[in-house]
Amino acid sequence: MSALGMTAALGGCGVTGGSGDVTLRLVAADYGDSGANTSQKYWDKLVKEYESAHPGVKVEVTVYSWTDVDRKVKEMVDAGKAPDMAQIGAYADYAAKDLLYSADDLLSISTQADFASQLATAGQVKGIQYGMPFAASTRLLFYNKTLFKQAGLSAPTTWKQLAADAEALKAQGVKYPYALPLGPEEAQAETMQWLLSGGGGYTDTVGTYGIDSAQNVDTFTWLKDDLVDKGLTGPVAPGKLNRAAAFAAFASGDVGMLNGHPSLMKIAAKKGVKYGMVPMPGVDGATKNSMGVADWMMAFKKNGHAEQVGKFLDFVYSDKNVLDFSREYDLLPVTNSASQTMSSAEQDADLKPFLDELPQSELPPVDKTSWAAVSAAVKKRIGQAVAANGSPAATLAQLQSTASMAESAE
């Protein structure tokens, strides 16, 4: 259905046929990388199965690219035509405006209790869960086994070893000894992984922004002095290097090491790159907390279909459907039961290292409505911290100021 058709359809009352018939509308993101595995196919199959068992309910799913989906949902909500459900990147703004059902309003106790605890917590605002995790991922340090073997190296476990490995790779003529994508595409993720590895993060233990903490300044000072200034991050300035370009360079054999999520396995394997994966090195050993990422399902109160939405979502979060989705798109399941199945299944062995990181992972402060503005500021500015004439302390102080202002406006 076209965007215009969608808008027109959403203008209706959402009820079709007899008084007992209900049409639920879901807007979802596309996780596929081609027409062959678009998320529309996943949802069409799931909906067909659901509707056959629930004759009074129709479910219409419209899938948009990640480039468009958050904006499309915002436009619908702003026009007073919210869908019943949205599966997108952030929920906090809508929760803050009291537009969403809570998970308690919708899900069975067994479904709600099955969410991985740190994902369920990340979906809460003031102790009430509005964001239901839909897909999850963690990050590991990928390294090129061929390049490491040629240089006589083993995978690093500390920053010092990472820098020494990068020096050795540079001496072998490797283009990007360590690829540091701090460009605007996804700098907030690379930044968070490094902040965590230095014992810091975006927020302190009570959830207050602490971007310019001593640990964070130390982390970016080390990155600038020991990696970037020594020419160990490649020919493109980190602030201009995007994640997609870094992944492509790894798949071309031009990168020694970089942080990656599960999809990089497939990208590298297609090009015949032999890779290894280890937890992100920290100051004195492997990082205690990896970075976790989650995308969210939410349900809008506008159309008043709590009962029907709840039953449909209970089906969406059944083991079979969670596993089918996770396996199709190389993502981690958001439920404990599906995670247990995947951790012992031979077909999921490639994902197990990421799965092992999930219980110790830390998510960005997605419960804050200010996070969108802070994330955008990090994407725009963090590259300056490691630039030739940059100051890590000054850049992090600017970002902290942005965060404090954004938080005070909440």
Side-chain angles (χ1 to χ4, degrees):
M1 192 184 299
S2 71
L4 285 173
M6 184 67 178
T7 304
L10 288 169
C13 62
V15 179
T16 58
S19 59
D21 291 351
V22 170
T23 297
L24 301 178
R25 295 183 173 87
L26 164 63
V27 177
D30 194 353
Y31 290 81
D33 56 14
S34 69
N37 71 342
T38 172
S39 295
Q40 191 73 55
K41 289 188 174 180
Y42 169 82
W43 285 112
D44 287 350
K45 181 170 176 285
L46 182 149
V47 164
K48 186 177 180 182
E49 187 179 339
Y50 185 77
E51 288 178 347
S52 68
H54 299 81
V57 179
K58 296 286 182 190
V59 185
E60 294 178 0
V61 183
T62 306
V63 170
Y64 292 106
S65 73
W66 271 110
T67 308
D68 298 324
V69 69
D70 288 89
R71 175 177 55 81
K72 290 285 187 184
V73 171
K74 184 177 186 302
E75 288 171 357
M76 292 172 192
V77 173
D78 289 349
K81 300 168 183 174
D84 294 284
M85 294 163 281
Q87 185 274 298
I88 51 178
Y91 69 87
D93 275 353
Y94 300 123
K97 293 172 184 170
D98 195 29
L99 299 177
L100 302 179
Y101 286 116
S102 71
D104 286 339
D105 294 329
L106 302 167
L107 302 177
S108 68
I109 292 171
S110 58
T111 297
Q112 207 175 343
D114 200 23
F115 287 132
S117 61
Q118 81 277 32
L119 299 179
T121 300
Q124 294 177 358
V125 174
K126 296 178 181 174
I128 298 173
Q129 185 179 356
Y130 297 97
M132 293 161 276
F134 183 75
S137 181
T138 53
R139 303 292 165 97
L140 292 170
L141 183 76
F142 281 68
Y143 64 97
N144 183 311
K145 283 187 170 181
T146 304
L147 297 178
F148 265 61
K149 187 176 181 181
Q150 288 169 353
L153 303 174
S154 57
T157 58
T158 66
W159 285 2
K160 188 175 180 181
Q161 289 172 348
L162 186 149
D165 285 355
E167 288 274 15
L169 291 165
K170 183 185 179 186
Q172 292 280 326
V174 175
K175 193 172 179 181
Y176 295 89
Y178 178 86
L180 183 65
L182 296 178
E185 181 190 356
E186 210 196 20
Q188 85 288 356
E190 181 76 11
T191 296
M192 183 170 177
Q193 186 66 68
W194 277 101
L195 296 183
L196 290 171
S197 74
Y202 285 119
T203 57
D204 61 21
T205 52
V206 294
T208 303
Y209 285 111
I211 297 173
D212 60 349
S213 70
Q215 296 104 310
N216 292 347
V217 172
D218 285 349
T219 294
F220 266 81
T221 300
W222 184 86
L223 273 175
K224 184 178 188 307
D225 293 349
D226 288 57
L227 286 187
V228 181
D229 287 354
K230 291 184 178 178
L232 302 179
T233 54
V236 179
K240 292 187 174 6
L241 182 65
N242 279 328
R243 181 197 64 180
F247 279 17
F250 186 81
S252 298
D254 291 331
V255 174
M257 299 172 277
L258 83 169
N259 280 318
H261 51 62
S263 69
L264 183 55
M265 296 189 296
K266 196 176 284 184
I267 295 168
K270 273 184 185 172
K271 293 288 190 79
V273 171
K274 293 177 180 168
Y275 59 87
M277 303 179 299
V278 292
M280 178 68 180
V283 180
D284 301 313
T287 302
K288 292 184 180 67
N289 296 99
S290 169
M291 189 190 74
V293 178
D295 300 323
W296 303 95
M297 177 72 76
M298 62 213 69
F300 289 91
K301 295 192 284 189
K302 174 78 175 172
N303 300 319
H305 295 147
E307 182 183 351
Q308 293 89 348
V309 167
K311 287 178 179 175
F312 176 67
L313 290 179
D314 280 338
F315 179 72
V316 168
Y317 285 108
S318 66
D319 265 15
K320 175 188 176 298
N321 290 325
V322 171
L323 285 167
D324 283 352
F325 182 84
S326 302
R327 285 167 172 160
E328 178 66 35
Y329 300 108
D330 289 325
L331 291 161
L332 304 183
V334 296
T335 61
N336 294 315
S337 53
S339 292
Q340 287 166 5
T341 300
M342 191 175 264
S343 64
S344 58
E346 194 173 323
Q347 74 183 94
D348 303 310
D350 284 352
L351 284 170
K352 192 171 187 311
F354 295 94
L355 207 53
D356 291 343
E357 290 290 304
L358 191 58
Q360 292 82 40
S361 67
E362 184 174 317
L363 276 75
V366 291
D367 59 318
K368 294 177 177 287
T369 56
S370 56
W371 172 239
V374 174
S375 176
V378 171
K379 290 178 183 181
K380 184 178 178 182
R381 295 187 203 157
I382 195 65
Q384 297 167 8
V386 297
N389 58 351
S391 163
T395 299
L396 293 176
Q398 285 176 347
L399 290 169
Q400 176 61 28
S401 176
T402 298
S404 297
M405 285 192 288
E407 193 161 37
S408 66
E410 285 188 5

